[in-house]
Amino acid sequence: MARSALLNVMVQAALKAGKSLSRDFGEVQNLQVSVKGPGDFVSQADFKAEKIVHDELMKARPTYGFAGEESAEEKGTDGAHRWIVDPLDGTTNFLHGIPQFAVSIALERNGEVVAGVVFNPATDELYTAEKGGGAFMNDRRIRVGARRVLSDCVIGCGVPHLGRGNHGKFLVELRHVMGEVAGVRRFGAAALDLAYVAAGRLDGYWESGLSSWDMAAGLILIREAGGYVSDMKGTTDIFGSGDVVAGNELIHKALLEVSNRPIPGR
Ligand code: IPD
Ligand code: CA
Ligand code: CA
């Protein structure tokens, strides 16, 4: 499988940051038993990973803009291109020694995501996609699942938590979705969850309150794997709304309908 020079740069950055995260993840597992816990250590691991990604990408394309979760946005002299980076997606998992986390890197050109990489160093799974070139897991081409009815589907989601999101709204959505599907999952790393939709592991996904770095790489993975993504209203304003609904054409449509059903009795 031939990758473009740009995608290669992104892959090298993700692998290098992944190596650093892997090393730190080993240490986090030791720190679980300390009273203070691994909080500060994980923040450092997160910053370190972002610096690695930043330096690799900016070395290769010094004029591009850079939007990473852990630092202030850099504008770049090239107005057309911007990297969108989450150096550690699934921080809570990482902090708790759960091996479900990823480095997520996307490239935006004139406001459109044109390439994406998601790498889980704990499983060595590398997801890549470039506009018009298909989506891959390691060297294998991936496609969204082919299931046609929700009753056969396993659907992923994000659950709001302490101090985050609209708990009541989510519970209404969940109540409707769980009554129609074969299973609901919450894995805790949105970038990887979207990659799982691209790979057909999850048949669909929905979450609200996300940031562009959680979703950017996942969006192109899903589109290049033949899937559909929108916000909760069905529009393409995904970054603006912070919402995402994904699946194959039929499941995306069905999930949109079910998750938007009104609260019973209203
Ligand atoms: C979080 C994860 C999680 C999602 C949260 C995100 P972080 O990102 O993607 O799955 O539910 O909304 O903020 O904080 O681990 O980078
Ligand atoms: Ca994230
Ligand atoms: Ca993060």
Side-chain angles (χ1 to χ4, degrees):
M1 173 213 147
R3 288 189 190 121
S4 73
L6 260 177
L7 198 57
N8 262 327
V9 165
M10 295 164 73
V11 166
Q12 288 320 313
L15 294 180
K16 198 165 172 188
K19 210 172 193 181
S20 169
L21 287 175
S22 257
R23 241 179 279 126
D24 288 338
F25 187 64
E27 187 57 26
V28 164
Q29 287 169 317
N30 297 331
L31 289 171
Q32 292 304 332
V33 290
S34 79
V35 180
K36 195 164 155 255
D40 293 345
F41 180 80
V42 170
S43 299
Q44 287 313 311
D46 202 352
F47 281 118
K48 225 192 304 171
E50 180 152 318
K51 184 167 176 357
I52 291 170
V53 173
H54 174 272
D55 292 356
E56 286 290 307
L57 297 179
M58 298 315 271
K59 189 171 70 187
R61 296 290 187 275
T63 60
Y64 288 13
F66 185 92
E69 182 177 8
E70 303 305 328
S71 49
E73 179 158 354
E74 288 173 31
K75 281 292 176 212
T77 52
D78 170 337
H81 292 93
R82 182 169 76 131
W83 302 111
I84 305 178
V85 173
D86 191 342
L88 171 56
D89 184 51
T91 323
T92 307
N93 285 343
F94 189 94
L95 182 76
H96 287 258
I98 300 169
Q100 180 76 5
F101 57 88
V103 183
S104 176
I105 302 174
L107 176 64
E108 196 182 56
R109 179 176 297 140
N110 297 319
E112 182 192 10
V113 178
V114 293
V117 170
V118 174
F119 177 51
N120 179 355
T123 57
D124 255 332
E125 286 177 344
L126 175 72
Y127 297 86
T128 56
E130 229 174 334
K131 194 179 173 193
F136 296 82
M137 198 247 279
N138 297 334
D139 285 334
R140 187 170 62 80
R141 181 90 194 243
I142 51 174
R143 290 185 192 286
V144 291
R147 293 188 178 86
R148 301 177 65 82
V149 288
L150 278 179
S151 54
D152 289 337
C153 288
V154 171
I155 303 295
C157 66
V159 182
H161 48 86
L162 182 66
R164 284 276 298 269
N166 184 334
H167 295 199
K169 177 175 167 287
F170 171 75
L171 286 173
V172 173
E173 292 162 5
L174 179 64
R175 176 175 172 171
H176 289 307
V177 173
M178 70 191 202
E180 303 273 347
V181 302
V184 178
R185 299 287 183 272
R186 196 304 191 238
F187 294 134
L192 261 187
D193 292 328
L194 295 173
Y196 279 19
V197 174
R201 289 179 174 172
L202 289 172
D203 299 293
Y205 190 78
W206 94 99
E207 183 166 1
S208 300
L210 291 171
S211 300
S212 54
W213 47 76
D214 299 314
M215 304 184 277
L219 300 184
I220 186 156
L221 282 165
I222 292 176
R223 289 190 183 121
E224 288 297 321
Y228 284 66
V229 271
S230 70
D231 69 1
M232 295 284 289
K233 292 194 187 107
T235 83
T236 53
D237 185 26
I238 298 171
F239 289 171
S241 65
D243 298 345
V244 67
V245 180
N248 69 25
E249 186 177 7
L250 290 173
I251 299 306
H252 170 257
K253 194 165 168 237
L255 203 49
L256 260 181
E257 189 272 309
V258 172
S259 60
N260 273 301
R261 279 185 194 155
I263 302 172
R266 285 207 183 165

